[in-house]
Amino acid sequence: MPPKVKTDAEKLAIRTVIIDAARDLFIHHGVDAVTMRGVANKIGYSATSIYLYFSDKEQLLRAVVDADALKLAQALHSTLAISDPLERFLQFAQHYVQFALANPNHYRMMFMTPHLPCDPALSSIEQHNPEQDGYAQLIGVATSACAAGIFKDEFNHPVLLAQTVWASMHGLCALQINMADDAWINWQPIEARIDFMMRMCLQGLLKVTPHE
Amino acid sequence: MPPKVKTDAEKLAIRTVIIDAARDLFIHHGVDAVTMRGVANKIGYSATSIYLYFSDKEQLLRAVVDADALKLAQALHSTLAISDPLERFLQFAQHYVQFALANPNHYRMMFMTPHLPCDPALSSIEQHNPEQDGYAQLIGVATSACAAGIFKDEFNHPVLLAQTVWASMHGLCALQINMADDAWINWQPIEARIDFMMRMCLQGLLKVTPHE
DNA sequence: TTTGTTATTTAACGATGTTAAGTTAACGAT
DNA sequence: ATCGTTAACTTAACATCGTTAAATAACAAA
């Protein structure tokens, strides 16, 4: 029984319904569980209908992840209000790690899975908008921390600092997400690893030993 | 024209031929290019014959990666001869990063791709053998560096140290492998990021500022 | 009422991992 | 020597996947 004419708003709503269905499969059963037929089934559509809203599977998954990249930026946004630049930097990193570990599938999709070069034009995220763009936030936080003059001169390079600290946090999250179950390795508790990492980085970067 | 009875050695040789063909596709065209039919074609067999040597595709890929995990351990083994514990630690990390960036597909497969919990029984690698087991090497290097008394007391925990430094290096490699082409990010040169990371970690860990 | 457009479905294609059912050469025993 | 039996391999086939092409039905406009 074929359909009625749809307004743009209705079409957008269906798009959202599809994305949510895909996300649900995605979160609970991993990427592999996201099949076009599976998503379609979940919303009572036929598989091919999804192609009316997304050009292919990759675009659908991209939309799912895009929405959650925005959620990441929003989760981080609250830390930007912290006045002390160092505390802001620390809380930003903490929240990043918390988000990653709380949303491992999305984190994997965003940062651990091969994907075509991301076209900013196709994203719903406005690049360099500090409310939406997590990377822009990171650069901002690193820049203001550098400006506060708390780091040793050799580390007072906002972009390098940002990308290196990011790499440290990413390393923690990525190994935890991918290798936590690996019987080969006697993992220490993730909290202990996070704490160790934070202290190591801070002691390396700061001019003076952080007050205990 | 069907075949002749094969000795165990011949069977092992064919296994190796299959692994090598799979590796070749794998390295040059990524995981997705490894199809059973593709591998079979490359060696003049039919796809189903591979199932006589590997129970399924995952086991085949596992065998490919397993062989290269051994190569990683061998690449790192040379650094174990360095007498100075700190220098050994540094060179070990350096070699690790070099291997990862030189073998991105294998690195991705080993440490960035979801896989069933690795069963040490099925591996060709002898766990805890410092010539074959890279993780055992890492623990050893970290332990002797700790024993040298060069690190601040709060960081003098071999396993935590090992896992944290590993995470740092992994973060560098993983972001580089997965995100280097991402237009969203104005990446600094990977060499600069490695250098920054090394210095940050060292300054954090060491009791005294490293001699320049 | 006809005509065309829009939203959707069914049918189908080609590729993939994998299993089942052959096919043929070599070997062991008689 | 020949007659099963088996080892090594192939061809057929299945289910599932992403995706495209063709068909269908409801609505809007004429």
Side-chain angles (χ1 to χ4, degrees):
Chain A
M1 332 105 199
K4 228 174 89 161
V5 164
K6 298 230 161 109
T7 69
D8 279 9
E10 283 171 321
K11 284 200 248 183
L12 213 86
I14 292 189
R15 234 185 100 97
T16 305
V17 167
I18 296 173
I19 290 178
D20 288 344
R23 194 204 322 272
D24 200 57
L25 286 173
F26 183 48
I27 290 176
H28 291 90
H29 307 95
V31 203
D32 296 340
V34 182
T35 76
M36 294 310 224
R37 288 169 173 87
V39 173
N41 236 315
K42 224 172 151 58
I43 60 172
Y45 271 23
S46 79
T48 52
S49 287
I50 299 180
Y51 289 86
L52 303 173
Y53 299 91
F54 298 91
S55 66
D56 58 18
K57 187 185 177 182
E58 165 140 5
Q59 294 303 322
L60 170 55
L61 278 181
R62 188 103 91 187
V64 173
V65 170
D66 199 64
D68 260 60
L70 194 61
K71 266 179 63 179
L72 169 57
Q74 288 166 347
L76 298 175
H77 184 67
S78 67
T79 66
L80 301 184
I82 298 171
S83 57
D84 179 54
L86 177 58
E87 187 61 22
R88 193 189 320 152
F89 192 63
L90 288 174
Q91 285 299 316
F92 188 82
Q94 285 279 5
H95 278 68
Y96 178 89
V97 172
Q98 295 314 318
F99 182 92
L101 300 182
N103 305 276
N105 280 324
H106 286 95
Y107 191 83
R108 181 189 289 284
M109 197 67 175
M110 279 193 268
F111 299 127
M112 302 165 67
T113 299
H115 52 275
L116 303 177
C118 167
D119 184 355
L122 293 178
S123 176
S124 70
I125 295 176
E126 193 183 333
Q127 198 168 13
H128 301 127
N129 177 340
E131 304 217 356
Q132 300 182 0
D133 179 354
Y135 180 69
Q137 294 175 334
L138 170 63
I139 295 295
V141 169
T143 302
S144 58
C146 279
I150 54 180
F151 296 140
K152 300 183 180 107
D153 285 348
E154 64 171 311
F155 298 128
N156 227 36
H157 183 310
V159 178
L160 264 179
L161 174 73
Q163 293 180 355
T164 304
V165 172
W166 180 19
S168 293
M169 298 304 135
H170 174 69
L172 279 175
C173 299
L175 284 185
Q176 172 65 13
I177 288 172
N178 207 55
M179 313 277 291
D181 294 331
D182 200 307
W184 203 282
I185 289 142
N186 57 332
W187 288 113
Q188 297 291 300
I190 179 64
E191 297 81 14
R193 281 180 280 149
I194 295 171
D195 180 64
F196 195 104
M197 176 71 83
M198 292 285 195
R199 286 187 285 112
M200 177 179 77
C201 291
L202 261 191
Q203 299 230 5
L205 295 172
L206 288 176
K207 279 178 178 165
V208 297
T209 301
H211 52 292
E212 297 287 328
Chain B
M1 334 106 197
K4 228 175 90 163
V5 165
K6 299 228 161 112
T7 68
D8 281 8
E10 283 170 321
K11 284 199 250 184
L12 214 86
I14 292 189
R15 235 185 98 97
T16 306
V17 168
I18 296 174
I19 290 177
D20 288 344
R23 193 201 327 272
D24 201 57
L25 287 173
F26 183 50
I27 290 175
H28 291 91
H29 306 96
V31 204
D32 297 340
V34 182
T35 74
M36 295 309 227
R37 288 170 173 85
V39 173
N41 237 316
K42 223 172 152 58
I43 60 172
Y45 271 23
S46 79
T48 51
S49 288
I50 299 179
Y51 289 85
L52 303 174
Y53 298 91
F54 298 91
S55 65
D56 57 19
K57 189 184 178 184
E58 165 142 4
Q59 294 303 322
L60 169 56
L61 277 181
R62 186 104 90 188
V64 172
V65 170
D66 199 65
D68 259 59
L70 194 61
K71 268 180 61 179
L72 168 57
Q74 287 166 347
L76 297 175
H77 184 66
S78 68
T79 67
L80 301 185
I82 297 170
S83 57
D84 179 53
L86 177 58
E87 187 62 22
R88 193 189 319 152
F89 193 63
L90 288 174
Q91 285 299 318
F92 188 82
Q94 286 277 6
H95 279 68
Y96 178 89
V97 172
Q98 296 312 320
F99 182 92
L101 300 181
N103 305 277
N105 279 325
H106 285 95
Y107 191 82
R108 180 190 291 282
M109 197 67 176
M110 278 192 268
F111 298 127
M112 302 165 68
T113 299
H115 52 274
L116 304 178
C118 167
D119 184 354
L122 293 178
S123 175
S124 70
I125 296 176
E126 193 183 332
Q127 197 169 13
H128 301 125
N129 177 341
E131 305 217 354
Q132 302 183 359
D133 178 356
Y135 180 70
Q137 294 175 332
L138 170 64
I139 295 294
V141 169
T143 301
S144 58
C146 280
I150 54 182
F151 297 140
K152 299 180 180 112
D153 285 349
E154 64 170 312
F155 298 128
N156 226 36
H157 183 309
V159 177
L160 264 179
L161 174 74
Q163 294 180 354
T164 304
V165 172
W166 180 18
S168 294
M169 298 303 133
H170 174 70
L172 278 175
C173 299
L175 284 183
Q176 171 67 13
I177 289 173
N178 207 54
M179 314 276 290
D181 294 332
D182 200 307
W184 203 282
I185 290 142
N186 58 333
W187 288 114
Q188 297 291 300
I190 179 64
E191 297 81 14
R193 281 180 280 147
I194 295 171
D195 182 64
F196 194 103
M197 176 70 85
M198 292 284 195
R199 286 187 285 110
M200 176 178 76
C201 291
L202 262 191
Q203 297 231 5
L205 296 171
L206 287 177
K207 278 178 180 165
V208 297
T209 302
H211 54 292
E212 298 287 328

